[in-house]
Amino acid sequence: MGKKRRLLDEYRFPGFGPRAEIKGIFGDLKARVIRLKRIQKTVCGCCGKIHWSHYDKKVRRVQDLSCGDARIYLEVEVRRVLCRKCGNVKREKLEWLADNPFYTKRIAYSVGRKCRTMTVKDVAKEFNLDWDTVKTLDKEYMKKQLLRYPVAAPRVIGIDEISIRKGHTYRIVVS
């Protein structure tokens, strides 16, 4: 048989690996924090140039998909780079983070899938998120879906009128 799967193998992201330490957030019994250690060098978020050093760093807590009833947060060291190529101080681009940098792409995708069948209010309640956050994550999901499956331009448009009741009350149907 192959290697044994370890508990933290699901939390391997490009450039990062999990530390053995898992801790909870004080006061919230259903939340767990997993610290990720850096494996790769820092990459400029603007031009993609690899750097040996960084301008400054900040530890950010990013929400990931829940595991059972426990909410999972990842502690990630996010660096800023003074790039010699483009001359800007930019935050590094981590491809597994959503456009909203406090959430992973996995939770953004999951929220978007749920919003296809449920209301935004219900999804916000299920994921324990703010309504506006669910709305922005849903918009990001819809943009990705439109890039993947572009809407075809219509070739023919049909228009008809249906009489709703006696008199001059009509409904216009466009197909």
Side-chain angles (χ1 to χ4, degrees), residues 38-45 48-56 77-82 90-93:
R38 181 171 298 276
I39 298 171
Q40 291 181 342
K41 295 174 181 56
T42 308
V43 178
C44 177
K49 183 173 173 24
I50 297 174
H51 293 275
W52 292 92
S53 63
H54 55 274
Y55 184 77
D56 66 351
E77 183 181 272
V78 180
R79 296 176 176 174
R80 290 195 313 162
V81 177
L82 175 58
K90 291 287 183 177
R91 185 174 52 91
E92 65 180 332
K93 179 75 174 155

mmCIF file of all heavy atoms in Angstrom, residues 38-45 48-56 77-82 90-93:
data_model
loop_
_atom_site.group_PDB
_atom_site.id
_atom_site.type_symbol
_atom_site.label_atom_id
_atom_site.label_comp_id
_atom_site.label_asym_id
_atom_site.label_seq_id
_atom_site.Cartn_x
_atom_site.Cartn_y
_atom_site.Cartn_z
ATOM 1 N N ARG A 38 5.763 28.486 5.453
ATOM 2 C CA ARG A 38 6.157 28.819 4.085
ATOM 3 C C ARG A 38 7.199 27.846 3.578
ATOM 4 O O ARG A 38 8.155 27.510 4.266
ATOM 5 C CB ARG A 38 6.703 30.239 4.033
ATOM 6 C CG ARG A 38 7.117 30.675 2.655
ATOM 7 C CD ARG A 38 7.442 32.137 2.636
ATOM 8 N NE ARG A 38 6.289 32.935 2.979
ATOM 9 C CZ ARG A 38 5.358 33.300 2.104
ATOM 10 N NH1 ARG A 38 5.440 32.905 0.873
ATOM 11 N NH2 ARG A 38 4.354 34.050 2.480
ATOM 12 N N ILE A 39 7.005 27.384 2.337
ATOM 13 C CA ILE A 39 7.957 26.490 1.690
ATOM 14 C C ILE A 39 8.680 27.214 0.560
ATOM 15 O O ILE A 39 9.873 27.050 0.376
ATOM 16 C CB ILE A 39 7.235 25.238 1.148
ATOM 17 C CG1 ILE A 39 6.608 24.453 2.295
ATOM 18 C CG2 ILE A 39 8.180 24.345 0.371
ATOM 19 C CD1 ILE A 39 5.702 23.334 1.854
ATOM 20 N N GLN A 40 7.961 28.029 -0.207
ATOM 21 C CA GLN A 40 8.546 28.688 -1.371
ATOM 22 C C GLN A 40 8.982 30.112 -1.057
ATOM 23 O O GLN A 40 8.650 30.673 -0.024
ATOM 24 C CB GLN A 40 7.528 28.718 -2.509
ATOM 25 C CG GLN A 40 7.233 27.357 -3.087
ATOM 26 C CD GLN A 40 6.226 27.451 -4.227
ATOM 27 O OE1 GLN A 40 5.523 28.440 -4.354
ATOM 28 N NE2 GLN A 40 6.177 26.416 -5.036
ATOM 29 N N LYS A 41 9.708 30.682 -2.012
ATOM 30 C CA LYS A 41 10.156 32.071 -1.900
ATOM 31 C C LYS A 41 8.995 33.011 -2.223
ATOM 32 O O LYS A 41 7.959 32.602 -2.697
ATOM 33 C CB LYS A 41 11.318 32.301 -2.853
ATOM 34 C CG LYS A 41 12.548 31.495 -2.494
ATOM 35 C CD LYS A 41 13.603 31.667 -3.547
ATOM 36 C CE LYS A 41 14.825 30.857 -3.233
ATOM 37 N NZ LYS A 41 14.578 29.442 -3.056
ATOM 38 N N THR A 42 9.207 34.291 -2.008
ATOM 39 C CA THR A 42 8.179 35.300 -2.224
ATOM 40 C C THR A 42 8.137 35.692 -3.700
ATOM 41 O O THR A 42 9.164 35.906 -4.326
ATOM 42 C CB THR A 42 8.478 36.537 -1.369
ATOM 43 O OG1 THR A 42 8.676 36.115 -0.025
ATOM 44 C CG2 THR A 42 7.345 37.522 -1.418
ATOM 45 N N VAL A 43 6.915 35.800 -4.238
ATOM 46 C CA VAL A 43 6.707 36.151 -5.640
ATOM 47 C C VAL A 43 5.935 37.462 -5.698
ATOM 48 O O VAL A 43 4.952 37.637 -4.978
ATOM 49 C CB VAL A 43 5.915 35.039 -6.375
ATOM 50 C CG1 VAL A 43 5.662 35.422 -7.813
ATOM 51 C CG2 VAL A 43 6.664 33.727 -6.302
ATOM 52 N N CYS A 44 6.356 38.378 -6.559
ATOM 53 C CA CYS A 44 5.667 39.660 -6.732
ATOM 54 C C CYS A 44 4.254 39.422 -7.264
ATOM 55 O O CYS A 44 4.067 38.637 -8.196
ATOM 56 C CB CYS A 44 6.444 40.554 -7.694
ATOM 57 S SG CYS A 44 5.634 42.129 -8.043
ATOM 58 N N GLY A 45 3.270 40.101 -6.675
ATOM 59 C CA GLY A 45 1.882 39.946 -7.099
ATOM 60 C C GLY A 45 1.567 40.679 -8.380
ATOM 61 O O GLY A 45 0.539 40.433 -9.000
ATOM 62 N N GLY A 48 5.206 38.861 -11.084
ATOM 63 C CA GLY A 48 5.521 37.442 -10.923
ATOM 64 C C GLY A 48 6.990 37.133 -10.723
ATOM 65 O O GLY A 48 7.386 35.972 -10.758
ATOM 66 N N LYS A 49 7.825 38.157 -10.490
ATOM 67 C CA LYS A 49 9.263 37.935 -10.281
ATOM 68 C C LYS A 49 9.502 37.351 -8.884
ATOM 69 O O LYS A 49 8.900 37.764 -7.913
ATOM 70 C CB LYS A 49 10.017 39.247 -10.431
ATOM 71 C CG LYS A 49 11.518 39.134 -10.298
ATOM 72 C CD LYS A 49 12.170 40.460 -10.633
ATOM 73 C CE LYS A 49 13.648 40.529 -10.379
ATOM 74 N NZ LYS A 49 14.413 39.353 -10.362
ATOM 75 N N ILE A 50 10.407 36.366 -8.805
ATOM 76 C CA ILE A 50 10.732 35.721 -7.535
ATOM 77 C C ILE A 50 11.787 36.547 -6.812
ATOM 78 O O ILE A 50 12.770 36.984 -7.409
ATOM 79 C CB ILE A 50 11.249 34.290 -7.782
ATOM 80 C CG1 ILE A 50 10.147 33.456 -8.414
ATOM 81 C CG2 ILE A 50 11.714 33.653 -6.489
ATOM 82 C CD1 ILE A 50 10.588 32.083 -8.841
ATOM 83 N N HIS A 51 11.594 36.758 -5.495
ATOM 84 C CA HIS A 51 12.510 37.552 -4.685
ATOM 85 C C HIS A 51 13.036 36.725 -3.518
ATOM 86 O O HIS A 51 12.341 35.872 -2.986
ATOM 87 C CB HIS A 51 11.798 38.798 -4.141
ATOM 88 C CG HIS A 51 11.415 39.771 -5.212
ATOM 89 N ND1 HIS A 51 12.271 40.715 -5.690
ATOM 90 C CD2 HIS A 51 10.266 39.935 -5.900
ATOM 91 C CE1 HIS A 51 11.668 41.424 -6.630
ATOM 92 N NE2 HIS A 51 10.450 40.955 -6.776
ATOM 93 N N TRP A 52 14.245 37.021 -3.115
ATOM 94 C CA TRP A 52 14.855 36.358 -1.964
ATOM 95 C C TRP A 52 14.426 37.004 -0.657
ATOM 96 O O TRP A 52 14.385 36.368 0.382
ATOM 97 C CB TRP A 52 16.382 36.404 -2.067
ATOM 98 C CG TRP A 52 16.893 35.567 -3.187
ATOM 99 C CD1 TRP A 52 17.140 35.983 -4.470
ATOM 100 C CD2 TRP A 52 17.182 34.182 -3.151
ATOM 101 N NE1 TRP A 52 17.563 34.952 -5.236
ATOM 102 C CE2 TRP A 52 17.619 33.812 -4.439
ATOM 103 C CE3 TRP A 52 17.135 33.203 -2.173
ATOM 104 C CZ2 TRP A 52 17.985 32.525 -4.758
ATOM 105 C CZ3 TRP A 52 17.515 31.924 -2.497
ATOM 106 C CH2 TRP A 52 17.926 31.587 -3.766
ATOM 107 N N SER A 53 14.135 38.286 -0.706
ATOM 108 C CA SER A 53 13.763 39.006 0.516
ATOM 109 C C SER A 53 12.370 39.607 0.348
ATOM 110 O O SER A 53 11.796 39.579 -0.733
ATOM 111 C CB SER A 53 14.787 40.110 0.810
ATOM 112 O OG SER A 53 14.781 41.052 -0.244
ATOM 113 N N HIS A 54 11.855 40.174 1.434
ATOM 114 C CA HIS A 54 10.543 40.791 1.379
ATOM 115 C C HIS A 54 10.583 42.139 2.092
ATOM 116 O O HIS A 54 11.463 42.417 2.885
ATOM 117 C CB HIS A 54 9.477 39.873 1.993
ATOM 118 C CG HIS A 54 9.783 39.449 3.390
ATOM 119 N ND1 HIS A 54 10.569 38.370 3.673
ATOM 120 C CD2 HIS A 54 9.412 39.959 4.583
ATOM 121 C CE1 HIS A 54 10.669 38.228 4.976
ATOM 122 N NE2 HIS A 54 9.974 39.191 5.555
ATOM 123 N N TYR A 55 9.597 42.983 1.763
ATOM 124 C CA TYR A 55 9.502 44.335 2.297
ATOM 125 C C TYR A 55 8.983 44.286 3.729
ATOM 126 O O TYR A 55 9.573 44.850 4.631
ATOM 127 C CB TYR A 55 8.567 45.138 1.393
ATOM 128 C CG TYR A 55 8.424 46.596 1.743
ATOM 129 C CD1 TYR A 55 9.425 47.497 1.421
ATOM 130 C CD2 TYR A 55 7.284 47.054 2.375
ATOM 131 C CE1 TYR A 55 9.282 48.840 1.731
ATOM 132 C CE2 TYR A 55 7.132 48.391 2.676
ATOM 133 C CZ TYR A 55 8.136 49.271 2.362
ATOM 134 O OH TYR A 55 7.992 50.588 2.670
ATOM 135 N N ASP A 56 7.867 43.640 3.944
ATOM 136 C CA ASP A 56 7.325 43.380 5.280
ATOM 137 C C ASP A 56 6.374 42.187 5.191
ATOM 138 O O ASP A 56 6.092 41.679 4.114
ATOM 139 C CB ASP A 56 6.641 44.608 5.877
ATOM 140 C CG ASP A 56 5.392 45.027 5.134
ATOM 141 O OD1 ASP A 56 5.126 44.492 4.049
ATOM 142 O OD2 ASP A 56 4.676 45.899 5.643
ATOM 143 N N GLU A 77 1.311 33.604 6.610
ATOM 144 C CA GLU A 77 2.184 34.772 6.598
ATOM 145 C C GLU A 77 2.161 35.351 5.180
ATOM 146 O O GLU A 77 2.664 34.739 4.246
ATOM 147 C CB GLU A 77 3.608 34.353 6.970
ATOM 148 C CG GLU A 77 4.566 35.491 7.052
ATOM 149 C CD GLU A 77 5.961 35.003 7.388
ATOM 150 O OE1 GLU A 77 6.268 34.890 8.577
ATOM 151 O OE2 GLU A 77 6.720 34.716 6.440
ATOM 152 N N VAL A 78 1.531 36.520 5.020
ATOM 153 C CA VAL A 78 1.441 37.184 3.725
ATOM 154 C C VAL A 78 2.509 38.256 3.678
ATOM 155 O O VAL A 78 2.593 39.102 4.574
ATOM 156 C CB VAL A 78 0.037 37.790 3.505
ATOM 157 C CG1 VAL A 78 -0.054 38.479 2.165
ATOM 158 C CG2 VAL A 78 -1.017 36.704 3.618
ATOM 159 N N ARG A 79 3.315 38.227 2.639
ATOM 160 C CA ARG A 79 4.437 39.172 2.515
ATOM 161 C C ARG A 79 4.162 40.211 1.441
ATOM 162 O O ARG A 79 3.427 39.963 0.494
ATOM 163 C CB ARG A 79 5.705 38.407 2.146
ATOM 164 C CG ARG A 79 6.152 37.451 3.200
ATOM 165 C CD ARG A 79 7.342 36.670 2.733
ATOM 166 N NE ARG A 79 7.843 35.799 3.781
ATOM 167 C CZ ARG A 79 8.806 34.921 3.603
ATOM 168 N NH1 ARG A 79 9.374 34.789 2.440
ATOM 169 N NH2 ARG A 79 9.202 34.164 4.603
ATOM 170 N N ARG A 80 4.798 41.377 1.627
ATOM 171 C CA ARG A 80 4.815 42.403 0.588
ATOM 172 C C ARG A 80 6.232 42.493 0.066
ATOM 173 O O ARG A 80 7.199 42.302 0.799
ATOM 174 C CB ARG A 80 4.365 43.756 1.135
ATOM 175 C CG ARG A 80 2.905 43.779 1.461
ATOM 176 C CD ARG A 80 2.352 45.157 1.663
ATOM 177 N NE ARG A 80 3.174 45.988 2.522
ATOM 178 C CZ ARG A 80 3.101 47.318 2.581
ATOM 179 N NH1 ARG A 80 2.249 47.951 1.831
ATOM 180 N NH2 ARG A 80 3.860 47.998 3.389
ATOM 181 N N VAL A 81 6.340 42.779 -1.226
ATOM 182 C CA VAL A 81 7.636 42.766 -1.900
ATOM 183 C C VAL A 81 7.889 44.127 -2.532
ATOM 184 O O VAL A 81 7.002 44.696 -3.168
ATOM 185 C CB VAL A 81 7.659 41.676 -2.999
ATOM 186 C CG1 VAL A 81 8.953 41.689 -3.757
ATOM 187 C CG2 VAL A 81 7.404 40.323 -2.404
ATOM 188 N N LEU A 82 9.105 44.650 -2.354
ATOM 189 C CA LEU A 82 9.553 45.814 -3.113
ATOM 190 C C LEU A 82 10.208 45.273 -4.365
ATOM 191 O O LEU A 82 11.348 44.815 -4.342
ATOM 192 C CB LEU A 82 10.536 46.664 -2.297
ATOM 193 C CG LEU A 82 11.166 47.857 -3.013
ATOM 194 C CD1 LEU A 82 10.103 48.810 -3.536
ATOM 195 C CD2 LEU A 82 12.117 48.583 -2.107
ATOM 196 N N LYS A 90 4.133 45.521 -3.632
ATOM 197 C CA LYS A 90 2.900 44.781 -3.864
ATOM 198 C C LYS A 90 2.832 43.571 -2.945
ATOM 199 O O LYS A 90 3.847 42.974 -2.610
ATOM 200 C CB LYS A 90 2.819 44.275 -5.316
ATOM 201 C CG LYS A 90 2.639 45.363 -6.333
ATOM 202 C CD LYS A 90 1.243 45.893 -6.257
ATOM 203 C CE LYS A 90 1.026 46.933 -7.337
ATOM 204 N NZ LYS A 90 -0.309 47.435 -7.354
ATOM 205 N N ARG A 91 1.602 43.201 -2.574
ATOM 206 C CA ARG A 91 1.377 41.991 -1.795
ATOM 207 C C ARG A 91 1.530 40.799 -2.728
ATOM 208 O O ARG A 91 1.127 40.836 -3.881
ATOM 209 C CB ARG A 91 -0.034 42.024 -1.208
ATOM 210 C CG ARG A 91 -0.331 40.875 -0.277
ATOM 211 C CD ARG A 91 -1.676 41.041 0.394
ATOM 212 N NE ARG A 91 -2.754 41.284 -0.524
ATOM 213 C CZ ARG A 91 -3.503 40.320 -1.069
ATOM 214 N NH1 ARG A 91 -3.282 39.077 -0.790
ATOM 215 N NH2 ARG A 91 -4.479 40.632 -1.882
ATOM 216 N N GLU A 92 2.122 39.726 -2.213
ATOM 217 C CA GLU A 92 2.322 38.552 -3.039
ATOM 218 C C GLU A 92 0.982 37.933 -3.419
ATOM 219 O O GLU A 92 0.007 38.026 -2.684
ATOM 220 C CB GLU A 92 3.191 37.516 -2.337
ATOM 221 C CG GLU A 92 2.572 36.912 -1.102
ATOM 222 C CD GLU A 92 3.471 35.892 -0.451
ATOM 223 O OE1 GLU A 92 4.279 35.279 -1.148
ATOM 224 O OE2 GLU A 92 3.353 35.720 0.762
ATOM 225 N N LYS A 93 0.940 37.303 -4.577
ATOM 226 C CA LYS A 93 -0.278 36.687 -5.077
ATOM 227 C C LYS A 93 -0.260 35.211 -4.709
ATOM 228 O O LYS A 93 0.622 34.469 -5.110
ATOM 229 C CB LYS A 93 -0.353 36.852 -6.596
ATOM 230 C CG LYS A 93 -1.555 36.240 -7.234
ATOM 231 C CD LYS A 93 -2.765 37.059 -6.977
ATOM 232 C CE LYS A 93 -3.943 36.498 -7.774
ATOM 233 N NZ LYS A 93 -5.194 36.831 -7.196
#
